[in-house]
Amino acid sequence: MTAIADTAILTGRSLRHITRSPDTIITTALMPIAFLLLFVYVLGGAIDAGADRYATYLLPGILVITIASSVSYTAFRLFVDLQGGIFERFHSMPVARPAVLWAHVLTSLVATLVSLGVVVLAALAMGFRSSAGLGAWLATAGILAFLTLALTWLAILPGLTATTVEGASAFAYPLILLPFVSSAFVPTETMPGPVRWFAENQPVTAVVDSVRALLAGEPVGADLAVALAWIAGILVVAYALAKAAYRRRIG
Amino acid sequence: MTAPAIAVGGLRHSYGDLDVLEGVDLEVAPGTIHALLGSNGAGKTTLIRILSTLLKADAGEARVAGHDVASAPAEVRAAISLTGQHSAVDDVLSGRENLVLIARLRRVPDPGAVADALLARFGLTEAGARRASTYSGGMRRRLDIAMSLIGDPRVIFLDEPTTGLDPEARREVWAAVRALADGGTTVLLTTQTLDEAEHLADRIAILHEGRIIVDGTLAELKALIPAPTVEYVEKQPSLEEVFLAVVGAKEMP
Ligand SMILES: Nc1ncnc2c1ncn2[C@@H]1O[C@H](COP(=O)(O)OP(=O)(O)OP(=O)(O)O)[C@@H](O)[C@H]1O
Ligand SMILES: [Mg+2]
């Protein structure tokens, strides 16, 4: 009970950090929106799908990139927080220890969902259209929130162990690049052998294909189960590693 | 005699190959102010961090407010408060928000009123609404100390509380610490300014080469100077420095 109250109080604190510097939400959304613009209006011309249809095709991958770029800010915020003395103050107080990390995790969820909303609005302006009903939208939000939770715990790890600010957020680069070797931007059939094999068997493709089907109002196949299994697996491993790193860090 | 508020026995700690604490023994009586002196790197902060459950000792025993820091850290945390050597304020929040945050975490009734009272007491009322990142070093230190007073902890650790404060602010902190002790709070503080120990502390302990080599009242410490131990003192230059400073503190500005 007190752990939940502590988490709520500390989440309020870090959410206030975000509302005090909303630029982090904007920067988080900026790169995915830039990718969207680039693909739809620059590269999209070479693809005869048409701008509207290509924006619709791209959005799921762009949303994965948004999550990756957002959680890198979580690592950054945690790192900065640990540099100051305030963490030690909390640790010397009768505050439930897990609350200190969970506050960062919940803040990351909120900030990421806001960024995702901004990116979806930008995509709508570029011609993205969806025939999905409320249920499909809720399912999409659920998958993306679950992915955010897993990648946030992954981000906690560099936040706890990095020795420089750059190191804390650099882990996100591979995450941001992963969608490029997936079904996010071009169908995997166009890729050469080994690349295609990798693209078809990595988590982003399963997530992107599920979300794409949901937003198109089509039935989701086995992709959804594969996507959820990947996310759950990442979550369990990242959570365990983060907990261990936290215990080592606070001695 | 009542049970000590802080009882340390045979405490050891090393960072890798560097032995910092090599068997520290210390007792602090409830409601008293105990000053811990020692040269830079003597291990004062290390000892404070162990007592406030931020660091685990390699060996020995430490009890704070009757609880063992190793086996009952939660009980210790409920009884203590720490003002670390480096400031522990949230830069993004205002001074008042910092105080309210700690008051809420400590489940103090009416956090807003507690915050306002502390702002007034430490001369921060006008700056209360400003972000802590805009504070001067001394203002930040005062906020830091104010945050540690919330919730009436039974034992307070102050690691160099007045470093960087102007004389007026220092006197304000001294008065606050004195009032705490008068109210029954136990205070263990470290300091580099010997007149602070002289003015404030009921007892003074000197940490040197991993051990508490002297522990007593100011009068007892002064009595050490003409005693036969003077030869022993002269073999230890940094110790000599401390002793001479304690004795000559009145000539210092
Ligand atoms: N995290 C750490 N890792 C390695 N060595 C450390 C660490 N913290 C402190 N030390 C070393 O332990 C010794 C004691 O440090 P400590 O901070 O306890 O001293 P201190 O008495 O508080 O000094 P000061 O008066 O300068 O604050 C120093 O030599 C310091 O370099
Ligand atoms: Mg120190």
Side-chain angles (χ1 to χ4, degrees), chain A residues 2 5-6 9-10 13 16-17 20 84-86 88-95 97 250-251, chain B residues 49 52 54 56 77 82 87-90 92-93 97 101-102 104-107 131 144 147-148:
Chain A
T2 66
D6 287 343
I9 295 169
L10 291 173
R13 162 184 175 259
R16 199 167 278 179
H17 282 209
R20 294 274 154 90
I86 194 89
E88 296 220 318
R89 184 185 284 284
F90 295 150
H91 285 155
S92 72
M93 284 172 61
V95 169
R97 295 253 164 133
I250 62 178
Chain B
R49 286 172 57 83
S52 50
L54 294 176
K56 285 195 176 69
R77 282 176 212 135
L82 165 70
S87 85
V89 307
D90 187 324
V92 178
L93 302 184
E97 286 168 337
L101 172 67
I102 301 300
R104 292 181 63 205
L105 284 172
R106 287 196 179 271
R107 309 291 192 275
R131 278 194 195 194
D144 210 10
M147 285 163 78
S148 299

mmCIF file of all heavy atoms in Angstrom, chain A residues 2 5-6 9-10 13 16-17 20 84-86 88-95 97 250-251, chain B residues 49 52 54 56 77 82 87-90 92-93 97 101-102 104-107 131 144 147-148:
data_model
loop_
_atom_site.group_PDB
_atom_site.id
_atom_site.type_symbol
_atom_site.label_atom_id
_atom_site.label_comp_id
_atom_site.label_asym_id
_atom_site.label_seq_id
_atom_site.Cartn_x
_atom_site.Cartn_y
_atom_site.Cartn_z
ATOM 1 N N THR A 2 1.803 1.308 0.951
ATOM 2 C CA THR A 2 2.651 2.497 0.968
ATOM 3 C C THR A 2 3.502 2.544 -0.290
ATOM 4 O O THR A 2 3.825 3.619 -0.766
ATOM 5 C CB THR A 2 3.570 2.513 2.201
ATOM 6 O OG1 THR A 2 4.475 1.422 2.079
ATOM 7 C CG2 THR A 2 2.795 2.394 3.486
ATOM 8 N N ALA A 5 1.439 4.248 -2.886
ATOM 9 C CA ALA A 5 1.352 5.692 -2.625
ATOM 10 C C ALA A 5 2.684 6.368 -2.949
ATOM 11 O O ALA A 5 2.708 7.442 -3.556
ATOM 12 C CB ALA A 5 0.958 5.933 -1.172
ATOM 13 N N ASP A 6 3.804 5.721 -2.554
ATOM 14 C CA ASP A 6 5.120 6.286 -2.869
ATOM 15 C C ASP A 6 5.302 6.409 -4.379
ATOM 16 O O ASP A 6 5.819 7.418 -4.882
ATOM 17 C CB ASP A 6 6.233 5.392 -2.297
ATOM 18 C CG ASP A 6 6.330 5.507 -0.777
ATOM 19 O OD1 ASP A 6 5.785 6.468 -0.222
ATOM 20 O OD2 ASP A 6 6.952 4.627 -0.156
ATOM 21 N N ILE A 9 3.349 9.356 -5.683
ATOM 22 C CA ILE A 9 3.968 10.647 -5.352
ATOM 23 C C ILE A 9 5.182 10.903 -6.246
ATOM 24 O O ILE A 9 5.354 11.982 -6.808
ATOM 25 C CB ILE A 9 4.384 10.679 -3.859
ATOM 26 C CG1 ILE A 9 3.148 10.596 -2.963
ATOM 27 C CG2 ILE A 9 5.177 11.940 -3.554
ATOM 28 C CD1 ILE A 9 3.464 10.347 -1.500
ATOM 29 N N LEU A 10 6.012 9.874 -6.405
ATOM 30 C CA LEU A 10 7.233 10.050 -7.191
ATOM 31 C C LEU A 10 6.945 10.149 -8.690
ATOM 32 O O LEU A 10 7.674 10.825 -9.422
ATOM 33 C CB LEU A 10 8.208 8.898 -6.915
ATOM 34 C CG LEU A 10 8.797 8.908 -5.501
ATOM 35 C CD1 LEU A 10 9.614 7.651 -5.241
ATOM 36 C CD2 LEU A 10 9.672 10.142 -5.297
ATOM 37 N N ARG A 13 6.110 13.606 -9.380
ATOM 38 C CA ARG A 13 7.336 14.395 -9.449
ATOM 39 C C ARG A 13 7.955 14.313 -10.847
ATOM 40 O O ARG A 13 8.262 15.332 -11.461
ATOM 41 C CB ARG A 13 8.336 13.882 -8.422
ATOM 42 C CG ARG A 13 9.745 14.327 -8.690
ATOM 43 C CD ARG A 13 10.757 13.746 -7.730
ATOM 44 N NE ARG A 13 12.084 14.143 -8.141
ATOM 45 C CZ ARG A 13 12.920 13.359 -8.795
ATOM 46 N NH1 ARG A 13 12.595 12.140 -9.111
ATOM 47 N NH2 ARG A 13 14.098 13.804 -9.164
ATOM 48 N N ARG A 16 6.085 16.012 -13.569
ATOM 49 C CA ARG A 16 6.265 17.455 -13.513
ATOM 50 C C ARG A 16 7.561 17.851 -14.245
ATOM 51 O O ARG A 16 7.619 18.889 -14.883
ATOM 52 C CB ARG A 16 6.312 17.906 -12.058
ATOM 53 C CG ARG A 16 6.027 19.375 -11.906
ATOM 54 C CD ARG A 16 5.761 19.744 -10.474
ATOM 55 N NE ARG A 16 4.400 19.472 -10.052
ATOM 56 C CZ ARG A 16 3.963 19.708 -8.825
ATOM 57 N NH1 ARG A 16 4.764 20.216 -7.924
ATOM 58 N NH2 ARG A 16 2.722 19.454 -8.492
ATOM 59 N N HIS A 17 8.583 16.997 -14.146
ATOM 60 C CA HIS A 17 9.813 17.262 -14.910
ATOM 61 C C HIS A 17 9.497 17.373 -16.398
ATOM 62 O O HIS A 17 10.076 18.191 -17.118
ATOM 63 C CB HIS A 17 10.819 16.128 -14.707
ATOM 64 C CG HIS A 17 11.539 16.207 -13.400
ATOM 65 N ND1 HIS A 17 12.811 15.727 -13.223
ATOM 66 C CD2 HIS A 17 11.161 16.716 -12.216
ATOM 67 C CE1 HIS A 17 13.180 15.936 -11.970
ATOM 68 N NE2 HIS A 17 12.190 16.524 -11.345
ATOM 69 N N ARG A 20 7.538 20.466 -17.267
ATOM 70 C CA ARG A 20 8.395 21.650 -17.192
ATOM 71 C C ARG A 20 9.286 21.769 -18.425
ATOM 72 O O ARG A 20 9.753 22.847 -18.742
ATOM 73 C CB ARG A 20 9.308 21.581 -15.957
ATOM 74 C CG ARG A 20 8.610 21.644 -14.633
ATOM 75 C CD ARG A 20 8.353 23.060 -14.170
ATOM 76 N NE ARG A 20 7.205 23.120 -13.273
ATOM 77 C CZ ARG A 20 7.264 23.001 -11.957
ATOM 78 N NH1 ARG A 20 8.430 22.867 -11.359
ATOM 79 N NH2 ARG A 20 6.179 23.045 -11.236
ATOM 80 N N GLY A 84 22.342 13.500 -9.623
ATOM 81 C CA GLY A 84 22.051 14.386 -8.504
ATOM 82 C C GLY A 84 21.937 13.571 -7.229
ATOM 83 O O GLY A 84 21.946 12.346 -7.254
ATOM 84 N N GLY A 85 21.837 14.260 -6.119
ATOM 85 C CA GLY A 85 21.784 13.524 -4.853
ATOM 86 C C GLY A 85 20.388 13.074 -4.450
ATOM 87 O O GLY A 85 20.223 12.379 -3.454
ATOM 88 N N ILE A 86 19.366 13.451 -5.232
ATOM 89 C CA ILE A 86 17.992 13.241 -4.780
ATOM 90 C C ILE A 86 17.659 11.754 -4.627
ATOM 91 O O ILE A 86 16.916 11.370 -3.727
ATOM 92 C CB ILE A 86 16.993 13.961 -5.736
ATOM 93 C CG1 ILE A 86 15.616 14.054 -5.113
ATOM 94 C CG2 ILE A 86 16.910 13.302 -7.074
ATOM 95 C CD1 ILE A 86 15.394 15.277 -4.285
ATOM 96 N N GLU A 88 19.658 9.445 -3.598
ATOM 97 C CA GLU A 88 20.198 9.005 -2.314
ATOM 98 C C GLU A 88 19.315 9.491 -1.176
ATOM 99 O O GLU A 88 19.159 8.800 -0.173
ATOM 100 C CB GLU A 88 21.622 9.527 -2.134
ATOM 101 C CG GLU A 88 22.552 8.943 -3.175
ATOM 102 C CD GLU A 88 23.899 8.595 -2.618
ATOM 103 O OE1 GLU A 88 24.420 9.397 -1.826
ATOM 104 O OE2 GLU A 88 24.427 7.525 -2.968
ATOM 105 N N ARG A 89 18.747 10.656 -1.347
ATOM 106 C CA ARG A 89 17.831 11.120 -0.304
ATOM 107 C C ARG A 89 16.646 10.170 -0.201
ATOM 108 O O ARG A 89 16.293 9.747 0.894
ATOM 109 C CB ARG A 89 17.345 12.540 -0.588
ATOM 110 C CG ARG A 89 16.459 13.083 0.523
ATOM 111 C CD ARG A 89 15.876 14.431 0.186
ATOM 112 N NE ARG A 89 16.827 15.526 0.310
ATOM 113 C CZ ARG A 89 17.221 16.051 1.464
ATOM 114 N NH1 ARG A 89 16.783 15.567 2.605
ATOM 115 N NH2 ARG A 89 18.066 17.054 1.488
ATOM 116 N N PHE A 90 16.062 9.816 -1.348
ATOM 117 C CA PHE A 90 14.938 8.878 -1.323
ATOM 118 C C PHE A 90 15.366 7.554 -0.687
ATOM 119 O O PHE A 90 14.623 6.946 0.078
ATOM 120 C CB PHE A 90 14.416 8.607 -2.741
ATOM 121 C CG PHE A 90 13.821 9.816 -3.415
ATOM 122 C CD1 PHE A 90 13.880 9.963 -4.792
ATOM 123 C CD2 PHE A 90 13.198 10.810 -2.672
ATOM 124 C CE1 PHE A 90 13.336 11.066 -5.416
ATOM 125 C CE2 PHE A 90 12.655 11.923 -3.285
ATOM 126 C CZ PHE A 90 12.724 12.053 -4.667
ATOM 127 N N HIS A 91 16.579 7.113 -1.024
ATOM 128 C CA HIS A 91 17.033 5.814 -0.518
ATOM 129 C C HIS A 91 17.303 5.825 0.983
ATOM 130 O O HIS A 91 17.307 4.780 1.628
ATOM 131 C CB HIS A 91 18.296 5.376 -1.265
ATOM 132 C CG HIS A 91 18.005 4.902 -2.650
ATOM 133 N ND1 HIS A 91 18.935 4.932 -3.663
ATOM 134 C CD2 HIS A 91 16.885 4.390 -3.186
ATOM 135 C CE1 HIS A 91 18.381 4.458 -4.752
ATOM 136 N NE2 HIS A 91 17.138 4.131 -4.508
ATOM 137 N N SER A 92 17.560 6.993 1.539
ATOM 138 C CA SER A 92 17.796 7.063 2.980
ATOM 139 C C SER A 92 16.488 7.360 3.720
ATOM 140 O O SER A 92 16.477 7.509 4.934
ATOM 141 C CB SER A 92 18.839 8.137 3.307
ATOM 142 O OG SER A 92 18.296 9.427 3.113
ATOM 143 N N MET A 93 15.395 7.451 2.965
ATOM 144 C CA MET A 93 14.089 7.737 3.573
ATOM 145 C C MET A 93 13.244 6.468 3.611
ATOM 146 O O MET A 93 13.526 5.513 2.901
ATOM 147 C CB MET A 93 13.349 8.807 2.753
ATOM 148 C CG MET A 93 13.876 10.215 2.959
ATOM 149 S SD MET A 93 13.122 11.374 1.812
ATOM 150 C CE MET A 93 11.414 11.226 2.270
ATOM 151 N N PRO A 94 12.181 6.480 4.434
ATOM 152 C CA PRO A 94 11.295 5.313 4.440
ATOM 153 C C PRO A 94 10.403 5.293 3.200
ATOM 154 O O PRO A 94 9.198 5.392 3.286
ATOM 155 C CB PRO A 94 10.473 5.496 5.724
ATOM 156 C CG PRO A 94 10.543 6.950 6.032
ATOM 157 C CD PRO A 94 11.833 7.459 5.484
ATOM 158 N N VAL A 95 11.047 5.185 2.048
ATOM 159 C CA VAL A 95 10.334 5.140 0.770
ATOM 160 C C VAL A 95 10.562 3.756 0.177
ATOM 161 O O VAL A 95 11.695 3.272 0.171
ATOM 162 C CB VAL A 95 10.892 6.215 -0.195
ATOM 163 C CG1 VAL A 95 10.356 6.012 -1.602
ATOM 164 C CG2 VAL A 95 10.555 7.602 0.311
ATOM 165 N N ARG A 97 11.665 1.030 -2.032
ATOM 166 C CA ARG A 97 12.695 1.138 -3.075
ATOM 167 C C ARG A 97 12.164 0.930 -4.488
ATOM 168 O O ARG A 97 12.546 1.662 -5.401
ATOM 169 C CB ARG A 97 13.836 0.160 -2.765
ATOM 170 C CG ARG A 97 14.577 0.517 -1.473
ATOM 171 C CD ARG A 97 15.943 1.083 -1.781
ATOM 172 N NE ARG A 97 16.498 1.771 -0.640
ATOM 173 C CZ ARG A 97 17.741 1.595 -0.207
ATOM 174 N NH1 ARG A 97 18.523 0.722 -0.789
ATOM 175 N NH2 ARG A 97 18.183 2.300 0.805
ATOM 176 N N ILE A 250 22.688 0.340 -5.918
ATOM 177 C CA ILE A 250 22.434 0.939 -4.603
ATOM 178 C C ILE A 250 23.103 0.167 -3.473
ATOM 179 O O ILE A 250 22.996 0.533 -2.314
ATOM 180 C CB ILE A 250 20.923 1.079 -4.305
ATOM 181 C CG1 ILE A 250 20.263 -0.291 -4.269
ATOM 182 C CG2 ILE A 250 20.243 1.983 -5.301
ATOM 183 C CD1 ILE A 250 18.790 -0.223 -3.926
ATOM 184 N N GLY A 251 23.806 -0.890 -3.831
ATOM 185 C CA GLY A 251 24.611 -1.594 -2.844
ATOM 186 C C GLY A 251 23.828 -2.397 -1.851
ATOM 187 O O GLY A 251 23.206 -1.919 -0.974
ATOM 188 N N ARG B 49 27.383 7.380 5.353
ATOM 189 C CA ARG B 49 26.607 6.622 4.359
ATOM 190 C C ARG B 49 26.247 5.226 4.882
ATOM 191 O O ARG B 49 25.181 4.713 4.594
ATOM 192 C CB ARG B 49 27.369 6.524 3.037
ATOM 193 C CG ARG B 49 27.381 7.850 2.260
ATOM 194 C CD ARG B 49 28.311 7.778 1.054
ATOM 195 N NE ARG B 49 27.953 6.683 0.167
ATOM 196 C CZ ARG B 49 27.005 6.751 -0.762
ATOM 197 N NH1 ARG B 49 26.336 7.868 -0.928
ATOM 198 N NH2 ARG B 49 26.728 5.714 -1.511
ATOM 199 N N SER B 52 23.428 5.662 7.378
ATOM 200 C CA SER B 52 22.134 6.012 6.787
ATOM 201 C C SER B 52 21.687 4.984 5.751
ATOM 202 O O SER B 52 20.851 5.286 4.901
ATOM 203 C CB SER B 52 22.174 7.428 6.208
ATOM 204 O OG SER B 52 23.293 7.596 5.387
ATOM 205 N N LEU B 54 22.954 3.714 3.126
ATOM 206 C CA LEU B 54 23.230 3.842 1.690
ATOM 207 C C LEU B 54 24.373 2.939 1.259
ATOM 208 O O LEU B 54 24.570 2.680 0.084
ATOM 209 C CB LEU B 54 23.585 5.294 1.348
ATOM 210 C CG LEU B 54 22.457 6.299 1.521
ATOM 211 C CD1 LEU B 54 22.944 7.708 1.238
ATOM 212 C CD2 LEU B 54 21.296 5.948 0.606
ATOM 213 N N LYS B 56 26.886 -0.606 2.538
ATOM 214 C CA LYS B 56 26.983 -1.713 3.486
ATOM 215 C C LYS B 56 28.413 -1.819 4.007
ATOM 216 O O LYS B 56 29.366 -1.687 3.250
ATOM 217 C CB LYS B 56 26.599 -3.030 2.805
ATOM 218 C CG LYS B 56 25.099 -3.149 2.592
ATOM 219 C CD LYS B 56 24.725 -4.592 2.260
ATOM 220 C CE LYS B 56 23.215 -4.747 2.142
ATOM 221 N NZ LYS B 56 22.655 -4.069 0.951
ATOM 222 N N ARG B 77 15.725 3.676 8.414
ATOM 223 C CA ARG B 77 15.309 4.780 7.535
ATOM 224 C C ARG B 77 14.111 5.525 8.099
ATOM 225 O O ARG B 77 13.978 6.738 7.896
ATOM 226 C CB ARG B 77 14.953 4.233 6.147
ATOM 227 C CG ARG B 77 16.175 3.931 5.318
ATOM 228 C CD ARG B 77 15.798 3.307 3.986
ATOM 229 N NE ARG B 77 16.854 2.396 3.599
ATOM 230 C CZ ARG B 77 16.655 1.181 3.127
ATOM 231 N NH1 ARG B 77 15.432 0.728 2.944
ATOM 232 N NH2 ARG B 77 17.689 0.415 2.836
ATOM 233 N N LEU B 82 18.939 12.355 6.447
ATOM 234 C CA LEU B 82 20.311 12.588 6.014
ATOM 235 C C LEU B 82 20.406 13.856 5.184
ATOM 236 O O LEU B 82 19.621 14.073 4.264
ATOM 237 C CB LEU B 82 20.785 11.391 5.163
ATOM 238 C CG LEU B 82 22.060 11.592 4.336
ATOM 239 C CD1 LEU B 82 23.284 11.691 5.231
ATOM 240 C CD2 LEU B 82 22.238 10.475 3.324
ATOM 241 N N SER B 87 24.485 18.318 -2.414
ATOM 242 C CA SER B 87 23.082 18.668 -2.238
ATOM 243 C C SER B 87 22.175 17.650 -2.909
ATOM 244 O O SER B 87 22.489 17.089 -3.940
ATOM 245 C CB SER B 87 22.813 20.070 -2.749
ATOM 246 O OG SER B 87 22.578 20.037 -4.132
ATOM 247 N N ALA B 88 21.052 17.413 -2.272
ATOM 248 C CA ALA B 88 20.095 16.410 -2.732
ATOM 249 C C ALA B 88 18.745 17.056 -2.916
ATOM 250 O O ALA B 88 17.762 16.673 -2.296
ATOM 251 C CB ALA B 88 20.026 15.251 -1.743
ATOM 252 N N VAL B 89 18.704 18.086 -3.776
ATOM 253 C CA VAL B 89 17.437 18.741 -4.058
ATOM 254 C C VAL B 89 17.084 18.471 -5.514
ATOM 255 O O VAL B 89 17.949 18.153 -6.315
ATOM 256 C CB VAL B 89 17.498 20.267 -3.793
ATOM 257 C CG1 VAL B 89 18.016 20.538 -2.403
ATOM 258 C CG2 VAL B 89 18.357 20.960 -4.831
ATOM 259 N N ASP B 90 15.806 18.592 -5.815
ATOM 260 C CA ASP B 90 15.348 18.413 -7.188
ATOM 261 C C ASP B 90 15.416 19.765 -7.882
ATOM 262 O O ASP B 90 14.667 20.678 -7.539
ATOM 263 C CB ASP B 90 13.921 17.862 -7.181
ATOM 264 C CG ASP B 90 13.455 17.502 -8.577
ATOM 265 O OD1 ASP B 90 13.818 18.221 -9.526
ATOM 266 O OD2 ASP B 90 12.722 16.508 -8.713
ATOM 267 N N VAL B 92 14.591 20.763 -10.813
ATOM 268 C CA VAL B 92 13.490 21.174 -11.688
ATOM 269 C C VAL B 92 12.330 21.736 -10.865
ATOM 270 O O VAL B 92 11.614 22.613 -11.308
ATOM 271 C CB VAL B 92 13.019 19.991 -12.551
ATOM 272 C CG1 VAL B 92 11.854 20.381 -13.421
ATOM 273 C CG2 VAL B 92 14.184 19.473 -13.398
ATOM 274 N N LEU B 93 12.189 21.226 -9.654
ATOM 275 C CA LEU B 93 11.099 21.691 -8.795
ATOM 276 C C LEU B 93 11.493 22.984 -8.088
ATOM 277 O O LEU B 93 12.675 23.287 -7.929
ATOM 278 C CB LEU B 93 10.759 20.632 -7.748
ATOM 279 C CG LEU B 93 10.337 19.245 -8.259
ATOM 280 C CD1 LEU B 93 9.939 18.363 -7.090
ATOM 281 C CD2 LEU B 93 9.212 19.346 -9.265
ATOM 282 N N GLU B 97 8.124 23.178 -3.693
ATOM 283 C CA GLU B 97 7.724 21.863 -4.199
ATOM 284 C C GLU B 97 8.643 20.756 -3.666
ATOM 285 O O GLU B 97 8.192 19.644 -3.385
ATOM 286 C CB GLU B 97 7.729 21.853 -5.731
ATOM 287 C CG GLU B 97 6.567 22.613 -6.335
ATOM 288 C CD GLU B 97 6.717 22.842 -7.830
ATOM 289 O OE1 GLU B 97 7.865 22.810 -8.333
ATOM 290 O OE2 GLU B 97 5.709 23.060 -8.489
ATOM 291 N N LEU B 101 7.220 17.720 -1.534
ATOM 292 C CA LEU B 101 7.483 16.342 -1.982
ATOM 293 C C LEU B 101 7.958 15.474 -0.813
ATOM 294 O O LEU B 101 7.437 14.374 -0.572
ATOM 295 C CB LEU B 101 8.550 16.354 -3.087
ATOM 296 C CG LEU B 101 9.070 14.996 -3.538
ATOM 297 C CD1 LEU B 101 7.981 14.204 -4.250
ATOM 298 C CD2 LEU B 101 10.286 15.148 -4.458
ATOM 299 N N ILE B 102 8.930 15.982 -0.064
ATOM 300 C CA ILE B 102 9.458 15.199 1.055
ATOM 301 C C ILE B 102 8.385 15.028 2.132
ATOM 302 O O ILE B 102 8.218 13.953 2.707
ATOM 303 C CB ILE B 102 10.713 15.873 1.651
ATOM 304 C CG1 ILE B 102 11.795 16.025 0.586
ATOM 305 C CG2 ILE B 102 11.246 15.085 2.842
ATOM 306 C CD1 ILE B 102 12.260 14.734 -0.035
ATOM 307 N N ARG B 104 5.196 14.881 1.727
ATOM 308 C CA ARG B 104 4.224 13.872 1.291
ATOM 309 C C ARG B 104 4.819 12.478 1.404
ATOM 310 O O ARG B 104 4.144 11.542 1.831
ATOM 311 C CB ARG B 104 3.784 14.157 -0.149
ATOM 312 C CG ARG B 104 2.957 15.435 -0.257
ATOM 313 C CD ARG B 104 2.513 15.677 -1.685
ATOM 314 N NE ARG B 104 1.635 14.603 -2.145
ATOM 315 C CZ ARG B 104 1.480 14.272 -3.427
ATOM 316 N NH1 ARG B 104 2.147 14.918 -4.361
ATOM 317 N NH2 ARG B 104 0.663 13.298 -3.759
ATOM 318 N N LEU B 105 6.077 12.325 1.024
ATOM 319 C CA LEU B 105 6.709 11.002 1.122
ATOM 320 C C LEU B 105 6.785 10.548 2.572
ATOM 321 O O LEU B 105 6.764 9.355 2.869
ATOM 322 C CB LEU B 105 8.106 11.021 0.502
ATOM 323 C CG LEU B 105 8.149 11.005 -1.025
ATOM 324 C CD1 LEU B 105 9.572 11.225 -1.526
ATOM 325 C CD2 LEU B 105 7.606 9.692 -1.575
ATOM 326 N N ARG B 106 6.898 11.501 3.491
ATOM 327 C CA ARG B 106 6.957 11.150 4.915
ATOM 328 C C ARG B 106 5.573 11.130 5.552
ATOM 329 O O ARG B 106 5.462 10.966 6.776
ATOM 330 C CB ARG B 106 7.870 12.127 5.667
ATOM 331 C CG ARG B 106 9.350 11.906 5.357
ATOM 332 C CD ARG B 106 10.213 12.602 6.379
ATOM 333 N NE ARG B 106 11.634 12.393 6.133
ATOM 334 C CZ ARG B 106 12.331 11.387 6.626
ATOM 335 N NH1 ARG B 106 11.752 10.496 7.396
ATOM 336 N NH2 ARG B 106 13.611 11.269 6.354
ATOM 337 N N ARG B 107 4.540 11.350 4.737
ATOM 338 C CA ARG B 107 3.152 11.299 5.206
ATOM 339 C C ARG B 107 2.909 12.277 6.343
ATOM 340 O O ARG B 107 2.237 11.964 7.324
ATOM 341 C CB ARG B 107 2.779 9.882 5.673
ATOM 342 C CG ARG B 107 3.096 8.787 4.702
ATOM 343 C CD ARG B 107 2.217 8.831 3.469
ATOM 344 N NE ARG B 107 2.363 7.596 2.696
ATOM 345 C CZ ARG B 107 3.307 7.356 1.781
ATOM 346 N NH1 ARG B 107 4.222 8.301 1.518
ATOM 347 N NH2 ARG B 107 3.361 6.228 1.134
ATOM 348 N N ARG B 131 12.506 27.862 -9.229
ATOM 349 C CA ARG B 131 13.177 26.575 -9.397
ATOM 350 C C ARG B 131 14.464 26.516 -8.575
ATOM 351 O O ARG B 131 15.232 27.479 -8.548
ATOM 352 C CB ARG B 131 13.571 26.383 -10.853
ATOM 353 C CG ARG B 131 12.457 25.886 -11.708
ATOM 354 C CD ARG B 131 13.032 25.401 -13.012
ATOM 355 N NE ARG B 131 11.973 25.245 -13.987
ATOM 356 C CZ ARG B 131 12.104 24.592 -15.122
ATOM 357 N NH1 ARG B 131 13.271 24.063 -15.427
ATOM 358 N NH2 ARG B 131 11.108 24.471 -15.961
ATOM 359 N N ASP B 144 18.294 22.161 1.332
ATOM 360 C CA ASP B 144 18.697 20.778 1.580
ATOM 361 C C ASP B 144 18.509 20.406 3.054
ATOM 362 O O ASP B 144 17.950 19.364 3.395
ATOM 363 C CB ASP B 144 20.192 20.699 1.221
ATOM 364 C CG ASP B 144 20.590 19.339 0.736
ATOM 365 O OD1 ASP B 144 19.714 18.505 0.488
ATOM 366 O OD2 ASP B 144 21.805 19.117 0.599
ATOM 367 N N MET B 147 14.847 20.294 4.060
ATOM 368 C CA MET B 147 14.203 19.053 3.619
ATOM 369 C C MET B 147 14.461 17.912 4.605
ATOM 370 O O MET B 147 13.640 17.013 4.776
ATOM 371 C CB MET B 147 14.708 18.661 2.222
ATOM 372 C CG MET B 147 14.117 19.514 1.109
ATOM 373 S SD MET B 147 15.036 19.415 -0.425
ATOM 374 C CE MET B 147 14.499 17.840 -1.072
ATOM 375 N N SER B 148 15.624 17.963 5.254
ATOM 376 C CA SER B 148 15.968 16.890 6.178
ATOM 377 C C SER B 148 15.265 17.009 7.526
ATOM 378 O O SER B 148 15.274 16.065 8.304
ATOM 379 C CB SER B 148 17.480 16.877 6.406
ATOM 380 O OG SER B 148 18.129 16.646 5.195
#
